[in-house]
Amino acid sequence: MDLVAARERLSQVPDPEIPAVTLMDLGIVRDLRATDAGLEVVLTPTYSGCPATELIADDVRAALAGFGAVTITLQRVPAWSTDWISAAGRVKLQHYGIVPPQCRAEQSIRVVPRLRCPRCDSGATQQLSRFGSTACKSTWRCIDCGEPFEYFKPF
Ligand SMILES: [Zn+2]
């Protein structure tokens, strides 16, 4: 079993809700290991309310076609945290117009996050809606340049 090749394939699977980032970027893929029959992929879905888990499992199976039987294991403890998003993933989210979540240490200091506009970096932003395109995100707008953007809520 070529785990390196399998990992390479797996690293290219985009998130079904935010195709700009991969499952690996988001930290959803926790482990990849060889089994007697093929591969086992351990996934921790981002939010239990997001209906993307089945899609993600299908995408992972499709990406690993040819590597034998693929077992998907959902690991919900510990729960997924925005802290697991990689540095590369945070940069991609920023380019995509979604403000990457602040780390937990910052959150504990600032109760209400002061978000900066992903386009002009202005700190004059307002929350338009607590929910964006999915329950995982809230919708914001920059007062200076008018750019709407989404914030990936810390969890
Ligand atoms: Zn702006």
Side-chain angles (χ1 to χ4, degrees), residues 15-32:
D15 179 70
E17 295 195 323
I18 314 171
V21 290
T22 66
L23 300 179
M24 291 259 193
D25 288 331
L26 291 177
I28 291 171
V29 176
R30 303 313 297 163
D31 201 6
L32 169 68

Side-chain angles (χ1 to χ4, degrees), residues 6 12 27 41 61 69 90 102 114:
Q12 290 163 18
V41 182
R61 284 196 191 94
R90 285 167 198 272
Q102 293 153 343
R114 180 177 290 273

Side-chain angles (χ1 to χ4, degrees), residues 1-15:
M1 183 56 56
D2 189 346
L3 268 181
V4 175
R7 179 169 291 277
E8 176 62 28
R9 288 259 204 97
L10 193 54
S11 72
Q12 290 163 18
V13 180
D15 179 70

Side-chain angles (χ1 to χ4, degrees), residues 117-122 124-125 142-147:
C117 172
R119 189 162 92 178
C120 71
D121 202 38
S122 165
T125 58
C142 173
I143 293 166
D144 283 341
C145 76
E147 175 85 351

Side-chain angles (χ1 to χ4, degrees), residues 106-126:
E106 282 182 65
Q107 282 174 50
S108 63
I109 298 167
R110 290 186 290 188
V111 177
V112 178
R114 180 177 290 273
L115 300 183
R116 303 200 77 84
C117 172
R119 189 162 92 178
C120 71
D121 202 38
S122 165
T125 58
Q126 64 179 164

